[in-house]
Amino acid sequence: MSIQKNRKYSNKNLSERPIGVFDSGIGGLTVVSQVIRQLPNEQVIYFGDTGRFPYGIRSAEVIKRFSRQNVNFLIEQNVKFIVVACNTASAQALDYIRRIYTIPMVGVIEPGAKAAVRYTKNGRIGVIGTEGTIASSSYTKAMLRINPKLKVFGLACPLFVSLAENGYIDKKASYLVAEDYLEFMKKKNIDTLVLGCTHYPPLKKVIGKVMGKKVHLVDSANETASIVKQTLFKMGLINSRKKTRRHKFYVSDTPARLKKMSKYFVDTTIKKVVRIDINKY
Ligand code: DGL
């Protein structure tokens, strides 16, 4: 099925086609927000796999299958480029799907890792993410490829996902959870902390307060959007036609939730969200 879908990826009017973005749920909207800000001429097609959320606790095999279906759906929407906005899917499935499809793709791990290596002064970097992302050591491997002398410390912070999903972004409970989790990082004397999960940027204020001003927070969403821009530019895929773009949002479960919670993740008001059956892909 994927090969057949892949054939639709032809060069005709390529730069005017939309950018496809997928995530396990709502969190990938943090990446959409940055893509829209940095690339105002581009149209975005977003798929949030809300019906199969969360990805962070699932096996690599399942994440690969889900990612493949998500890519098939986006290719059917005629996208020119795919952003794997989910850290867990980037960590566990990006290499796999890149081998299957010819459509260009970026994930969120490499951009976040590169930025962290750029920022650190003392060579001690922390990475927080889902259990799947941390277990894969993808961030650590990506950073050590750039500089093998770095000291990288990973920590899974699964409760941050629930806090962000429920709009608990600046509440007492958020600080309590953050203090408990981040105690480990504080002891490691890091100067840079990667927010290695789509759900963590809304908690930036809380995490920043707990870690203190001396620790630089790397938001993969922002870094990924810069890499998307650079890559589209290099490939001659930037859309130069100025016109109002209507971004499209799809989910695999009830659309109401994405509409309601989107305010924590994206600046744009999302009016229309369409539910699809991802199992058809
Ligand atoms: N989107 C996921 C990630 O960035 C977070 C939520 C999940 O567990 O699916 O890893």
Side-chain angles (χ1 to χ4, degrees), residues 53-68:
F53 176 88
Y55 280 15
I57 50 162
R58 294 181 193 275
S59 68
E61 198 189 333
V62 170
I63 303 298
K64 283 178 188 164
R65 177 162 53 85
F66 287 178
S67 298
R68 207 169 153 165

Side-chain angles (χ1 to χ4, degrees), residues 20-32 46-49 52-57 63 66-67 70 82-94 97 106-110 130 132-133 138-139 161 195-199 220-221 224:
V21 180
F22 82 81
D23 178 41
S24 57
I26 306 171
L29 292 174
T30 50
V31 178
V32 172
Y46 181 79
F47 172 63
D49 199 2
R52 304 189 290 194
F53 176 88
Y55 280 15
I57 50 162
I63 303 298
F66 287 178
S67 298
N70 301 346
I82 290 180
V83 184
V84 182
C86 177
N87 285 259
T88 309
S90 299
Q92 300 194 317
L94 183 59
I97 50 177
V106 300
V108 284
I109 306 279
E110 289 285 336
T130 64
T133 299
S138 297
Y139 272 107
V161 173
L195 307 182
C197 177
T198 49
H199 282 62
S220 320
T224 302

Side-chain angles (χ1 to χ4, degrees), residues 22-203:
F22 82 81
D23 178 41
S24 57
I26 306 171
L29 292 174
T30 50
V31 178
V32 172
S33 191
Q34 295 299 330
V35 168
I36 295 173
R37 196 174 60 80
Q38 295 191 33
L39 292 158
N41 288 347
E42 304 292 337
Q43 182 194 12
V44 171
I45 308 265
Y46 181 79
F47 172 63
D49 199 2
T50 52
R52 304 189 290 194
F53 176 88
Y55 280 15
I57 50 162
R58 294 181 193 275
S59 68
E61 198 189 333
V62 170
I63 303 298
K64 283 178 188 164
R65 177 162 53 85
F66 287 178
S67 298
R68 207 169 153 165
Q69 290 179 306
N70 301 346
V71 170
N72 287 340
F73 168 71
L74 289 173
I75 289 177
E76 197 178 88
Q77 309 317 303
N78 215 17
V79 298
K80 61 180 171 187
F81 190 85
I82 290 180
V83 184
V84 182
C86 177
N87 285 259
T88 309
S90 299
Q92 300 194 317
L94 183 59
D95 288 345
Y96 166 77
I97 50 177
R98 267 189 175 145
R99 283 198 295 274
I100 300 175
Y101 301 92
T102 52
I103 185 164
M105 299 181 197
V106 300
V108 284
I109 306 279
E110 289 285 336
K114 275 189 194 157
V117 175
R118 223 171 40 234
Y119 285 120
T120 187
K121 297 248 174 349
N122 71 0
R124 300 176 70 83
I125 301 171
V127 180
I128 50 175
T130 64
E131 287 164 60
T133 299
I134 298 304
S136 75
S137 302
S138 297
Y139 272 107
T140 308
K141 287 179 200 154
M143 289 186 224
L144 294 182
R145 272 198 296 274
I146 306 172
N147 179 357
K149 288 193 184 137
L150 294 169
K151 289 270 174 276
V152 186
F153 308 95
L155 178 72
C157 301
L159 287 177
F160 281 168
V161 173
S162 318
L163 289 172
E165 276 277 317
N166 291 288
Y168 265 63
I169 51 166
D170 191 19
K171 299 208 177 183
K172 243 195 223 161
S174 329
Y175 285 95
L176 285 176
V177 172
E179 262 156 30
D180 196 51
Y181 276 146
L182 299 174
E183 172 106 42
F184 167 84
M185 286 298 176
K186 283 164 111 177
K187 285 187 185 144
K188 298 293 177 195
N189 188 30
I190 55 166
D191 70 351
T192 306
L193 180 65
V194 180
L195 307 182
C197 177
T198 49
H199 282 62
Y200 299 176
L203 292 162

